[in-house]
Amino acid sequence: MATDVAVREAEGGGHANVVIRPAVTSTPRWLVAVGRSLPPLALVALISLAALVGRDVSGWPGRSVLAGLVVVTLACAVTGRTGSAQLGLGLTATVAASALLPWQVGWWPLPGVVGVAVYLVSHLAMRGRAAGHRTILRFGRRLTAAEVWVVVGLVVSSASVLLVFSRLAPPHLGTGARFLVALSPWSLVAVGVAFAVVNAFVEEVLFRGAVLHHLAHVLGSWPAVLVQALAFGTLHLNGYPYGLAGMVLAAVYGLLLGALRLRSGGLLAPWIAHVCADAVIFVLIVHTAT
């Protein structure tokens, strides 16, 4: 054991006292940084793997991903990493709901709604224990004229890309297509608005809210924007746009939304842009179904 020697003179005399005590060793900063960043990065990596595995968790890949999320979340809670534990609870609940909800109500974004609800409940329950708890769900200030034009540009560009993509790869139609075709026009509009609003809210809270916030706390803002964009792109492997091209497009879109989140200081601007993109996707699905 390393030691240092402290010599001090006794009061009122010439004798010296020799005190031997353990030397204080400091942990390297890079090792501390790695230890802080690993838990949230592991959670984001696992949620990305869950998107690759799909809804089926009956096999060992799905069970391994879900078990990994549970283990990392518990480890964060036990070691006092409150923020990462909150993130883990939300992501674990999302994957579990996607796997366990019956198909009649298991369509996205309902599993995401469950995950966001669990995250918000844990967030309120642990309020004050994690730094920056007020910033995660901040919708931001009133948008400036420049930010409004950025949103308009994102809406126009994303709609154009989606229209071109739909020509090459139309949306896959599942059992929900029969439900949409049977709706009246006004009911169809109501369902479309609800889907766009809720889906955009869920994905913005999860990615530009929770994931971006907790990663930025350990990585910095721009690395966190990049990582959440990659995870957001992976989520769209089986969504829309789908496939490898869809993943790339969604990752670029997530990168732009993350940058807009930082510029505007809240979720309002990216949420508005996301709602419009989801509305276009819903129209494409209905058009394909009919």
Side-chain angles (χ1 to χ4, degrees), residues 18-19 36-37 52 65 94 96 133 198 205 207 212 261 270 282:
V18 179
V19 180
R36 293 178 59 196
S37 59
L52 297 177
V65 170
T94 301
H133 65 272
V198 174
V205 170
F207 289 94
L212 179 56
R261 162 72 174 85
F282 185 82

Side-chain angles (χ1 to χ4, degrees), residues 1 42 44 50 139 217 228 258 265:
M1 178 184 294
V44 174
F139 262 69
H217 191 61
Q228 65 82 30

